[in-house]
Amino acid sequence: MGMAGMDAFIGRLDPDMCVVTAVAGGERAGCLVGFASQCSIQPVRFVVWLSEVNHTFRVARDAEVLAVHLLARDQHGLAERFGGRTGDRTDKFEGIPLREGYGGAVVLADAPAWFVGRIVTRAGGGDHIGFVLDPVEWGGDETYDGPLLRLSGAHTIKPGHPVD
């Protein structure tokens, strides 16, 4: 039995895309993430899954907090920057409005919604590691009510890092 049925199921999903940023050891990193979700109601917890081959993963594993940003549908260029380039070769943050968040987190000032979460635990999940976050600070543009960038709007972005 092949994976065709599972591929068809996954193909129907259209999750919100997030940019996750991390800071540790004087280094900052960020990447576009399609695997993220609330994972607990009480207490509120959120999990983001980072690829082990990703530069952001290597910084995040030493970080105390991560910042998670939702993007507006028209922020495709920002998604391309964080998803289509690797931090191994480029400073993805150059020229982008930023602010410092809780625990020294890097917050993208133009994101319509964001939060900073303390890393509670990490969980293996195949080629990605889940970072379970306890939200401690949040914000964004409360007047923004437009569409968010979803996987279907980001499928043309070629990953900055190969999957393996």
Side-chain angles (χ1 to χ4, degrees):
M1 183 172 202
M3 289 295 294
M6 192 64 205
D7 288 343
F9 178 89
I10 290 171
R12 290 179 168 209
L13 302 176
D14 196 16
D16 295 328
M17 300 301 291
C18 303
V19 170
V20 175
T21 60
V23 178
E27 188 174 9
R28 63 186 181 183
C31 65
L32 187 65
V33 172
F35 303 150
S37 176
Q38 183 175 347
C39 60
S40 175
I41 296 170
Q42 195 60 265
V44 172
R45 295 287 187 262
F46 196 89
V47 63
V48 294
W49 295 88
L50 302 178
S51 170
E52 292 183 84
V53 300
N54 191 302
H55 176 252
T56 303
F57 169 77
R58 293 192 304 275
V59 175
R61 69 181 170 200
D62 295 324
E64 294 182 21
V65 297
L66 299 178
V68 180
H69 310 80
L70 293 175
L71 300 180
R73 185 184 302 165
D74 65 0
Q75 290 180 302
H76 194 273
L78 193 58
E80 174 72 38
R81 176 185 289 237
F82 282 92
R85 301 180 189 175
T86 174
D88 292 322
R89 294 188 293 269
T90 187
D91 179 1
K92 297 180 189 182
F93 299 94
E94 185 178 345
I96 295 176
L98 306 170
R99 73 173 204 74
E100 186 172 324
Y102 177 93
V106 176
V107 174
L108 306 180
D110 292 337
W114 58 269
F115 79 92
V116 175
R118 266 192 305 263
I119 299 170
V120 175
T121 191
R122 294 164 183 86
D127 59 4
H128 285 61
I129 300 296
F131 289 75
V132 178
L133 306 174
D134 172 20
V136 293
E137 181 186 28
W138 44 88
D141 180 357
E142 294 181 14
T143 65
Y144 181 80
D145 65 353
L148 296 174
L149 181 66
R150 294 181 148 322
L151 178 61
S152 59
H155 72 277
T156 59
I157 298 172
K158 183 179 176 189
H161 254 291
V163 174
D164 50 14

